[in-house]
Amino acid sequence: RRVDFLSLRDAQSCRYAEEMGRKAVGSIDTAFLMRPSVELPPELQLPPSYVVVVPHQLYAWHPKYLNMDRAALDDFYKKLLEKFAGQGVPLVLLPQIFANPQVNDEKYFESLAAGIPNCQVIPTRYNSDIQQKIIQGADFLIGARYHSTVFAVNNEVPFYSLSYEHKMVNMLETIGLKDCCMPITDAIASPGAAADAIYAKYQKRSEQQTAISQASAVARGMAADTFEKMNQFLKML
């Protein structure tokens, strides 16, 4: 309530501001301001065609999920990986959390991938620019993290988001891609059906391309416009 310039990055946050009587600029994640141009390190050898999967060990840290059925979440991820691997699709698991001693994506992903063919786990040490480059080369992305979805849209890669908070589904609502998303609780409740539904989305990924490319352009425009509005406001101080 005390700020003079308020920029909010998803539709639900803007609705909250409206309910509070606060004037807010509807924006989007600042990651859309730039599409990094980097080369993959030579030691990272990826298959010519692959799907990126970004699981999320929610029960390890998120207050909302601390008491969830841990085996049920892991079972869903394994069924998802098995569904794609069983169809001969190479998989790349991409860690997206750093410097948290309680959560180690790399080890967790290795446990999920154990025994599954053509399933590669990327080491945790690579930064977000390298992550975007990996996503940029993918045929499809399945992400249970917010920024995996942002990076897919930013690089115009077909995707499916497993939403664990409103920020994911309502960011997609802002850019007209709400149908590319499923609550992760639904996936946990029906893991086999969810894996089948996501694989069906992968098979029809070309049908997403135009909408995702348009949404990416909208997101970049929103991010740039809000950044300019902020700069203009700062100049008036």
Side-chain angles (χ1 to χ4, degrees):
R1 291 183 181 275
R2 297 174 60 186
V3 301
D4 295 310
F5 181 86
L6 180 62
S7 170
L8 299 172
R9 68 180 182 177
D10 72 81
Q12 184 59 46
S13 294
C14 289
R15 285 192 284 267
Y16 289 149
E18 185 177 358
E19 290 168 8
M20 296 170 65
R22 297 294 295 152
K23 184 180 179 181
V25 177
S27 184
I28 202 144
D29 199 279
T30 53
F32 288 108
L33 285 171
M34 183 173 64
R35 188 181 294 171
S37 178
V38 296
E39 295 297 325
L40 286 180
E43 71 273 11
L44 270 183
Q45 298 296 315
L46 301 178
S49 177
Y50 57 90
V51 169
V52 169
V53 185
V54 186
H56 193 168
Q57 197 178 13
L58 288 160
Y59 55 73
W61 73 275
H62 197 293
K64 181 179 176 181
Y65 298 96
L66 292 178
N67 296 318
M68 76 183 303
D69 185 338
R70 299 183 172 206
L73 180 65
D74 295 351
D75 179 60
F76 160 66
Y77 289 140
K78 289 176 182 177
K79 278 186 167 57
L80 180 66
L81 299 178
E82 288 166 354
K83 177 66 180 181
F84 278 76
Q87 301 298 320
V89 179
L91 300 170
V92 173
L93 273 61
L94 186 62
Q96 283 200 318
I97 196 163
F98 303 89
N100 187 330
Q102 295 179 309
V103 186
N104 187 312
D105 270 1
E106 190 174 346
K107 288 182 179 179
Y108 180 57
F109 292 3
E110 287 173 350
S111 73
L112 295 175
I116 297 176
N118 295 320
C119 194
Q120 177 179 353
V121 178
I122 301 298
T124 308
R125 63 181 177 270
Y126 295 107
N127 64 27
S128 60
D129 286 357
I130 298 299
Q131 290 181 6
Q132 289 209 63
K133 183 67 175 180
I134 292 169
I135 291 170
Q136 191 179 83
D139 294 334
F140 193 73
L141 176 138
I142 307 159
R145 285 191 174 277
Y146 171 78
H147 276 99
S148 62
T149 302
V150 169
F151 291 167
V153 176
N154 196 34
N155 291 280
E156 302 182 29
V157 172
F159 71 92
Y160 200 75
S161 175
L162 295 162
S163 176
Y164 65 91
E165 284 183 354
H166 79 78
K167 65 182 179 181
M168 301 166 78
V169 65
N170 294 129
M171 182 272 288
L172 293 173
E173 177 188 351
T174 298
I175 55 176
L177 293 177
K178 197 174 179 180
D179 62 338
C180 299
C181 187
M182 173 193 297
I184 198 164
T185 49
D186 290 358
I188 295 167
S190 302
D196 289 345
I198 294 169
Y199 186 75
K201 289 283 188 181
Y202 161 74
Q203 288 182 303
K204 296 181 178 180
R205 61 193 180 278
S206 61
E207 298 176 10
Q208 280 189 330
Q209 194 63 63
T210 299
I212 290 172
S213 296
Q214 291 172 347
S216 184
V218 168
R220 286 196 299 275
M222 289 182 69
D225 182 58
T226 310
F227 188 70
E228 180 57 28
K229 287 178 180 176
M230 183 185 71
N231 282 336
Q232 293 301 319
F233 176 79
L234 291 173
K235 290 175 183 177
M236 293 187 296
L237 294 179

